[in-house]
Amino acid sequence: MQLLQSVLTRLFTTLITLIGVAVIVFFVIRVVPGTPIAMMLPPGATEDDVARLTALYGLDKSIPQQFLIWLSGTLHGDFGTSITTRQPVLALVLSRLPATLELSIMALVIATAIGGFMALTGTRLRGTKTEAAIDISNGMALSVPDFLWGLILILGFGVLIPIFHISGRISPSLDLPFTSNFYLFESVLRLRFDLWADIVAHMFMPALALAIPLAAIIGQLLKQSLKETMHLDYVTLARTKGYGENHVILHEALPNAILPTLTLVGVQFTFLIGGTVIIERLFSYEGLGNMAIDAVINRDLPLIQGIVILFAVIFTAVNLLVDLCYAALNPRLRHA
Amino acid sequence: MSYLTIRNLSANLKGRPDRILRNVSLQVAAGEVRGLVGESGAGKSMIGKAILGTLPLSIEITGGEIILDGTDLLKLPPAQRRTRIGQFCALIPQDPLTALNPSRRIGPQITNRLVDILRWTRADAEKRARELLAEVHIPDPERVMRSYPHELSGGMRQRILIASAFAAEPKLIVADEPTTALDVTVQKQILKLIAEMQARHGTALLFVTHDLGVVSKVCQSLSVLYGGLVLEDSRMTDFFHAPKHPYSRALLAATPKYTDPDGSLTPVPDAVVAATRAEVEAADRSAHV
Ligand SMILES: Nc1ncnc2c1ncn2[C@@H]1O[C@H](COP(=O)(O)OP(=O)(O)OP(=O)(O)O)[C@@H](O)[C@H]1O
Ligand SMILES: [Mg+2]
């Protein structure tokens, strides 16, 4: 009951946030210099041509007027038309969303696996050289940003030892039976593991580049939290009952140590999604982020707006999901 | 023959000369209640932890024996030692608010060891848990077993921890200041409950406390500890009539009579403390030659 209420409150504040984001983005991209029209016309176009096109896209009206037009369209599900591709923004953005979602989620899975493994190993072997080595590698992983990891990976496993693909989402020569853009997901559903392997070989490096810093954060936070939990009385009590170290870490400490980590990982995951913009560009991966950079270069105002709004929706959805997980894992909230 | 015999147990801060326990020897006979008293930092908890194998990583045992039912625990491989402790010993912890896992229901916290370590069936273990909860005077054991710790009061949780300690019919229970974290009103009830359970199950009990009033009520013998050194080891009646060590005498004088809780409290005189400290240092010197 209380949960439902808090979800509803969250949805309401989310709506306010989104409107705020829309307003800010709308005005900011219109006051920065450069217009889409200049990009579209061939050299030698006349003043007349410019004026005609400007009017066609409604860019001759005042900015508040433009905003009202855009807002009323948006509320009816019409996010406008991309200036460069002349396609509806909503369709364009939604066609790219699955690629970015798959990449982010794969990165999150990799980060959780690596970070969780580091944290558990570090806790199990606390006070040993292995723990020190884990701390050092976490520190190193954190001090290099994701796009540099991307470059390092491209050099290492794309060029020197070419075992992964360095660009694109899937090999262009393949016949695609897909009806959705969730390639990775659909390839599993269709049991087409040949395609699945090709997609993974494309996604793995960008996903790993995104995952490494997050893995280090998860590793550090969870290890810290585990070590604190290991000193608590109920863990000691479990030891006196005859349980071994592994059981104590996994069954007594971990379920409680996860909680504080979870919230921070939620925040960090939204940073990771932000990181897809550059990583997708680096790996020529056809997702939202790559599209966003093109849109900015071309000053494709409706498209930029659509993408930003979609990112904002994803961010708030992630935060909501984290809160729900937290509530589900914490009996104190579950029964409150 | 005593059930637990600790002989010349010494412990150090790892890699440092700081001594935590100094040649500690004590015995607990089967079914006996022994008090372990001393001021804060004397090493009472460390003795309990050494027995139960839960010493912090920063502390290492440098010598001695902990003989449980004829077997020296310190000579056993870790896994065997752990199961032996799990089977024959139990702990009643100090703070009931932190000694229960907040994310698990009460039922499994009592039954898990019976199922996982002692290989009982889940049904048997649950039946046992219900009986024990009734034994510690918890109304509606069924409901309590389904509850989470945060839904229960401190006194209730300490009852549960007592029930849980007796679950596997251990031969020895270490109770480390089991009432200090509780309300004064609840303290007496819990103390009575521990004494009652101990008598009914015939379990040997090592009762850690700094309250001689409590000791006089539940213990048959006691060890006085100062700076990790056992100063005195007496039968209860002997101790109260004629404490052997000057420090014990001062401690006894410093304890307000439990019949007269407002009685003035004389602190242990500085001279006695200084003499006792000198004794501890002398013990160290003789250990080094
Ligand atoms: N985790 C630890 N690491 C290092 N030294 C410790 C640790 N815990 C306690 N000590 C030291 O060990 C000594 C004995 O501590 P212990 O906890 O056994 O005291 P105690 O007699 O139980 O006191 P109290 O009545 O306060 O519980 C103290 O000098 C303390 O400083
Ligand atoms: Mg203590």
Side-chain angles (χ1 to χ4, degrees):
Chain A
M1 203 52 232
Q2 193 162 5
L3 201 61
L4 182 70
Q5 199 183 356
S6 74
V7 169
L8 287 180
T9 324
R10 281 295 289 271
L11 287 179
F12 181 71
T13 49
T14 300
L15 197 68
I16 307 276
T17 315
L18 290 181
I19 291 174
V21 169
V23 173
I24 292 169
V25 170
F26 197 92
F27 286 90
V28 166
I29 60 179
R30 277 169 176 74
V31 295
V32 295
T35 71
I37 307 302
M39 304 282 178
M40 294 170 72
L41 288 170
T46 63
E47 290 282 315
D48 253 14
D49 295 334
V50 174
R52 217 161 22 81
L53 263 179
T54 308
L56 180 65
Y57 288 103
L59 298 174
D60 53 343
K61 302 196 172 63
S62 74
I63 294 182
Q65 257 178 322
Q66 289 182 40
F67 181 73
L68 287 180
I69 293 170
W70 178 81
L71 187 65
S72 75
T74 302
L75 291 179
H76 292 95
D78 175 11
F79 285 75
T81 307
S82 154
I83 296 178
T84 32
T85 65
R86 299 195 170 76
Q87 285 171 10
V89 166
L90 190 61
L92 270 180
V93 164
L94 288 182
S95 74
R96 288 292 187 98
L97 176 64
T100 298
L101 281 185
E102 285 190 345
L103 182 64
S104 313
I105 291 171
M106 187 168 184
L108 180 66
V109 170
I110 295 175
T112 311
I114 299 178
F117 178 76
M118 299 262 240
L120 290 172
T121 314
T123 311
R124 180 70 181 81
L125 302 173
R126 60 194 177 287
T128 67
K129 291 211 174 65
T130 313
E131 193 201 354
I134 285 175
D135 285 343
I136 291 171
S137 48
N138 273 347
M140 272 167 33
L142 267 180
S143 54
V144 178
D146 49 12
F147 61 89
L148 273 183
W149 283 119
L151 286 174
I152 293 169
L153 289 173
I154 288 178
L155 277 179
F157 301 106
V159 180
L160 293 179
I161 319 166
I163 41 176
F164 294 110
H165 294 284
I166 56 169
S167 93
R169 194 176 173 205
I170 190 163
S171 298
S173 56
L174 293 173
D175 268 337
L176 302 185
F178 301 136
T179 51
S180 78
N181 280 332
F182 287 97
Y183 290 180
L184 190 69
F185 186 61
E186 208 180 325
S187 68
V188 175
L189 285 188
R190 289 175 186 272
L191 305 177
R192 288 291 303 273
F193 295 106
D194 53 327
L195 295 179
W196 182 84
D198 184 76
I199 298 166
V200 170
H202 280 85
M203 280 173 77
F204 185 71
M205 287 207 298
L208 186 60
L210 287 168
I212 290 173
L214 181 58
I217 292 174
I218 293 179
Q220 263 182 6
L221 283 177
L222 187 59
K223 182 160 80 71
Q224 185 57 35
S225 174
L226 272 171
K227 282 179 80 172
E228 282 163 17
T229 312
M230 291 300 282
H231 290 292
L232 298 181
D233 291 349
Y234 59 83
V235 175
T236 308
L237 192 62
R239 285 217 175 90
T240 68
K241 292 178 178 177
Y243 287 108
E245 189 70 12
N246 290 340
H247 177 102
V248 163
I249 293 176
L250 290 176
H251 295 266
E252 298 293 329
L254 187 61
N256 297 296
I258 275 183
L259 289 174
T261 316
L262 187 67
T263 334
L264 280 155
V265 168
V267 176
Q268 293 298 330
F269 183 52
T270 57
F271 289 158
L272 183 152
I273 296 173
T276 58
V277 174
I278 291 183
I279 289 292
E280 285 182 5
R281 192 64 169 189
L282 195 61
F283 287 89
S284 311
Y285 183 89
E286 281 156 21
L288 267 183
N290 213 341
M291 184 188 248
I293 292 184
D294 284 332
V296 170
I297 291 173
N298 296 323
R299 298 284 187 278
D300 193 336
L301 304 183
L303 189 54
I304 297 176
Q305 259 147 244
I307 294 173
V308 171
I309 296 280
L310 187 57
F311 268 116
V313 169
I314 297 174
F315 285 9
T316 43
V318 167
N319 284 326
L320 186 61
L321 216 60
V322 167
D323 287 357
L324 289 177
C325 287
Y326 193 92
L329 288 174
N330 190 343
R332 249 168 285 207
L333 295 185
R334 197 160 53 206
H335 297 271
Chain B
M1 212 207 97
S2 60
Y3 186 71
L4 170 78
T5 305
I6 297 180
R7 211 174 278 149
N8 295 331
L9 184 69
S10 290
N12 256 31
L13 221 52
K14 204 171 261 179
R16 309 245 331 252
D18 308 53
R19 302 189 71 186
I20 303 285
L21 296 179
R22 301 172 147 94
N23 282 326
V24 168
S25 295
L26 63 84
Q27 303 191 345
V28 188
E32 181 195 29
V33 184
R34 172 173 287 269
L36 191 54
V37 296
E39 62 173 37
S40 186
K44 307 183 294 291
S45 297
M46 289 302 148
I47 293 179
K49 286 176 181 175
I51 298 168
L52 297 171
T54 57
L55 281 175
L57 288 174
S58 54
I59 290 174
E60 68 183 337
I61 291 177
T62 51
E65 299 171 331
I66 300 175
I67 300 164
L68 191 76
D69 203 10
T71 311
D72 185 358
L73 290 179
L74 299 180
K75 291 210 176 69
L76 289 179
Q80 263 187 45
R81 177 176 163 195
R82 217 166 46 223
T83 31
R84 187 168 277 262
I85 291 167
Q87 199 170 354
F88 297 113
C89 305
L91 170 71
I92 299 177
Q94 176 167 5
D95 187 353
L97 297 188
T98 56
L100 287 166
N101 190 329
S103 63
R104 187 168 300 152
R105 292 173 199 275
I106 297 299
Q109 302 207 41
I110 302 176
T111 57
N112 273 359
R113 67 142 43 134
L114 301 177
V115 176
D116 297 344
I117 309 287
L118 304 177
R119 305 283 160 215
W120 292 31
T121 65
R122 172 88 32 212
D124 284 349
E126 279 177 3
K127 182 160 166 285
R128 171 84 174 143
R130 275 192 297 273
E131 287 166 8
L132 278 162
L133 288 178
E135 242 184 88
V136 295
H137 314 299
I138 284 182
D140 202 353
E142 283 291 346
R143 189 187 59 79
V144 168
M145 281 174 67
R146 283 193 308 271
S147 310
Y148 283 93
H150 70 268
E151 298 166 322
L152 306 167
S153 71
M156 193 83 139
R157 288 191 226 184
Q158 193 59 304
R159 284 170 191 277
I160 289 164
L161 287 161
I162 291 167
S164 176
F166 282 92
E169 285 296 350
K171 297 283 192 297
L172 172 74
I173 290 182
V174 177
D176 191 345
E177 307 201 31
T179 60
T180 29
L182 298 170
D183 258 22
V184 188
T185 47
V186 187
Q187 278 184 4
K188 279 202 183 117
Q189 298 169 15
I190 294 295
L191 204 60
K192 214 174 118 217
L193 179 66
I194 293 175
E196 177 190 318
M197 291 290 282
Q198 186 275 332
R200 183 180 310 147
H201 293 262
T203 318
L205 186 61
L206 185 64
F207 198 100
V208 173
T209 178
H210 44 231
D211 186 346
L212 280 177
V214 167
V215 169
S216 70
K217 279 184 201 154
V218 292
C219 302
Q220 284 125 41
S221 59
L222 99 168
S223 301
V224 180
L225 207 64
Y226 181 90
L229 190 73
V230 177
L231 299 180
E232 165 147 13
D233 179 343
S234 294
R235 307 288 312 158
M236 204 61 237
T237 39
D238 300 342
F239 178 82
F240 277 95
H241 287 133
K244 290 181 217 151
H245 197 276
Y247 181 83
S248 313
R249 265 198 295 281
L251 207 61
L252 203 53
T255 309
K257 289 280 169 334
Y258 46 97
T259 46
D260 172 23
D262 300 324
S264 64
L265 193 121
T266 9
V268 177
D270 289 346
V272 178
V273 171
T276 313
R277 185 159 294 146
E279 191 177 328
V280 168
E281 279 157 16
D284 280 1
R285 272 194 302 279
S286 67
H288 280 288
V289 289

